Amino acid sequence: FDPDKVCFPGTRDLLLKYIRSWVDDYDNSGKRLLWVYGDAGCGKSAIAHSLASFYTAFGRLGSSSFFETANPKSDAIYCLLPKISLDLAECNDEWKAALVSVLMTQSIRQFLWSFSLQIKTLIELSRRVSFVGPLVILVDGFN
């Protein structure tokens, strides 16, 4: 994330507070997803950068990816999940060990170019690994 792209001080405070309380009000009953959407230019990216900054400071940012609409990549979908996996491995040794064991048993090339295999692998890993407290994964501009 880019600290220079966070919301201006005093703007979107209520929305950021609402999102942070939603993240922090977890009960370990399952995974949750918050989808922020809106028209181009309404501030979704600034909100995402602000949340990334906030959760980095508390050690709760599991991963963040920011895609630029002016610089689209046709293979971005194939890079997203491996990046999330590697980022999670950096913050959780249990995830790292599980990821290594999975990659030792399958083709790395196949893993990198098969989105369905990536999804399957991430779901399998998430069933084997536990995290303490909420962990935030941000994806912005993935159109």
Side-chain angles (χ1 to χ4, degrees):
F1 76 95
D2 184 346
D4 292 332
K5 294 184 178 181
V6 300
C7 297
F8 290 116
T11 63
R12 300 184 185 94
D13 289 339
L14 190 59
L15 178 59
L16 290 168
K17 182 179 177 183
Y18 173 80
I19 293 171
R20 288 192 304 261
S21 68
W22 180 86
V23 169
D24 295 337
D25 185 28
Y26 74 101
D27 61 5
N28 283 329
S29 63
K31 285 73 175 166
R32 302 181 315 155
L33 172 72
L34 176 66
W35 189 282
V36 177
Y37 63 94
D39 293 333
C42 72
K44 300 178 300 294
S45 293
I47 291 166
H49 284 281
S50 295
L51 291 169
S53 176
F54 179 84
Y55 284 106
T56 294
F58 290 98
R60 288 285 169 218
L61 184 64
S63 182
S64 63
S65 295
F66 294 86
F67 295 93
E68 302 283 334
T69 54
N71 187 19
K73 293 183 177 180
S74 61
D75 62 348
I77 193 167
Y78 299 106
C79 300
L80 178 62
L81 295 179
K83 181 190 182 304
I84 291 171
S85 282
L86 291 173
D87 289 346
L88 292 175
E90 287 293 317
C91 66
N92 185 297
D93 289 336
E94 192 179 351
W95 183 277
K96 184 186 297 183
L99 180 61
V100 167
S101 72
V102 166
L103 293 177
M104 295 295 284
T105 62
Q106 60 185 259
S107 163
I108 302 278
R109 185 172 309 232
Q110 182 183 9
F111 177 75
L112 289 176
W113 293 107
S114 171
F115 189 71
S116 62
L117 181 59
Q118 291 173 11
I119 293 284
K120 179 182 170 192
T121 302
L122 287 179
I123 290 170
E124 178 186 326
L125 288 175
S126 69
R127 290 182 177 146
R128 289 199 261 163
V129 175
S130 60
F131 289 91
V132 177
L135 195 64
V136 175
I137 298 173
L138 291 167
V139 179
D140 179 63
F142 193 68
N143 297 337

